[in-house]
Amino acid sequence: MSAADLVARAESVAREGAEAIAAAGSLDALADAERRYLGRSSPLHEVREAIKTVEPAARAEVGRALSAARARLEELAAGRRTELEARARAASLVAERLDLTVGGRDYRRGHLHPVTRIWRELEDVFVGLGYRVAEGPEVELDWYNFEALNFPPGHPARAMQDTLYVRLGEPEQVLLRTHTSPVQVRVMEAQRPPIYVVAPGRVFRRDTLDARHSPVFHQIEGLAVDEGITLGDLLGTIESFVHALFGRDVRARFLPSFFPFTEPSCEFAMTCVFCEGSGCAVCSRTGWVELGGAGMVDPNVFEAVGVDPERYTGFAFGFGIDRLVQLLYGVDHVKHLWDGDVRFLRQF
Ligand code: DAH
């Protein structure tokens, strides 16, 4: 064969080999094509053997064609190998995939009950005003719930409280506290003025359940005792808590009232947040919603706990937390706050 024939042969083998490499559909098929076109028994090997038969001057040309053909095939084979390996890896990832999903359930994250949320917000507001949070027992003695608060035995205001008594000790001496006011007495017994505390908690009354009353509900009590405390301090404090919770546009209103443990006493209300004071169903067209009671601590209460009424004055206030929650979220019946029905609670 002439040198030109050998060069042509090398080139045609390279073309054929290129096609075989491109057509190899697996790593095995590629190895096979490499063996056929680059291995010992490949047609290129025959061309190499045939070099000896051409005249020496032309051998270099055939040699160059041969190495170009080899280099091309090696490069193509390497490229094809990379492709096939990637494809095999992807296939084994799919084939060997394990489903490690646990249970397949939707674990919903819980949140605070709306009453707890407002309870904590109230604490935050008063802590911000310099108050401390105090606690008292839910099962209480008559002394703390009534007597020390200037409700003498047989006082008509006791009947108004619809007390639930506990069969323990002397008759009618142990009860479920009807308000958070007994915590005032406990705090003043335990601590000398200056006193600035709030006491949130559960209270109990013999009430029939309706849209706004439940036999168990929550109140928050406030007590400030110091030298020179005035009614003005009380009004300002209530107003700032109302502003902190509802914003500056909401106003507080005070009307004279009566409680045995405060003198003077008042009831306080705030602008109805639904109609902004113009009158609606929520506020019975008055533009105001009642929040609770307040007043200047009665000197008889100071006497009962041994605080000098000549030196100290103080104010106290108390109001329902559930009522506030109903107002804030537009809850039409208190029972929703007690049912624990997740369809209701999920809305908050
Ligand atoms: N304890 C009263 C009640 O449950 C509310 C109250 C009124 C609390 C006047 C006070 C107060 O501290 O000064 O109806």
Side-chain angles (χ1 to χ4, degrees), residues 126-146:
F126 285 107
V127 166
L129 292 173
Y131 285 65
R132 196 171 60 75
V133 178
E135 266 184 292
E138 292 177 348
V139 177
E140 190 51 285
L141 295 173
D142 178 275
W143 165 259
Y144 293 102
N145 198 81
F146 291 127

Side-chain angles (χ1 to χ4, degrees), residues 126 129-131 149 181 183-185 187-188 193-199 220-241 254 259 261-266 268 293-299 301-302 307 312-319:
F126 285 107
L129 292 173
Y131 285 65
L149 287 168
S181 303
V183 186
Q184 291 186 32
V185 181
V187 169
M188 286 190 283
I195 293 170
Y196 294 88
V197 293
V198 282
I220 183 164
E221 192 79 13
L223 174 71
V225 182
D226 208 337
E227 288 178 20
I229 296 239
T230 68
L231 187 66
D233 296 319
L234 168 62
L235 306 189
T237 302
I238 301 260
E239 199 162 65
S240 34
F241 123 75
F254 303 86
F259 298 99
F261 42 96
T262 44
E263 182 59 34
S265 301
C266 63
F268 58 95
M296 299 304 291
V297 179
D298 193 292
V301 176
F302 282 147
V307 169
Y312 295 107
T313 52
F315 65 72
F317 59 85
F319 55 90

Side-chain angles (χ1 to χ4, degrees), residues 120-198:
R120 294 200 183 168
E121 265 181 43
L122 287 166
E123 284 183 356
D124 283 352
V125 167
F126 285 107
V127 166
L129 292 173
Y131 285 65
R132 196 171 60 75
V133 178
E135 266 184 292
E138 292 177 348
V139 177
E140 190 51 285
L141 295 173
D142 178 275
W143 165 259
Y144 293 102
N145 198 81
F146 291 127
E147 188 131 13
L149 287 168
N150 202 29
F151 290 82
H155 192 285
R158 285 182 174 223
M160 282 165 49
Q161 298 254 350
D162 299 310
T163 312
L164 288 158
Y165 288 95
V166 176
R167 230 181 261 137
L168 205 73
E170 295 290 301
E172 303 207 341
Q173 288 306 298
V174 185
L175 45 82
L176 297 182
R177 65 178 179 189
T178 59
H179 51 179
T180 42
S181 303
V183 186
Q184 291 186 32
V185 181
R186 290 183 173 274
V187 169
M188 286 190 283
E189 271 185 358
Q191 185 195 334
R192 296 292 93 186
I195 293 170
Y196 294 88
V197 293
V198 282

Side-chain angles (χ1 to χ4, degrees), residues 21 43 127 132 151 180 201 206 209 240 242 278 318 327:
I21 287 168
V127 166
R132 196 171 60 75
F151 290 82
T180 42
R206 218 173 53 233
L209 186 74
S240 34
V242 165
S278 59
L327 268 176

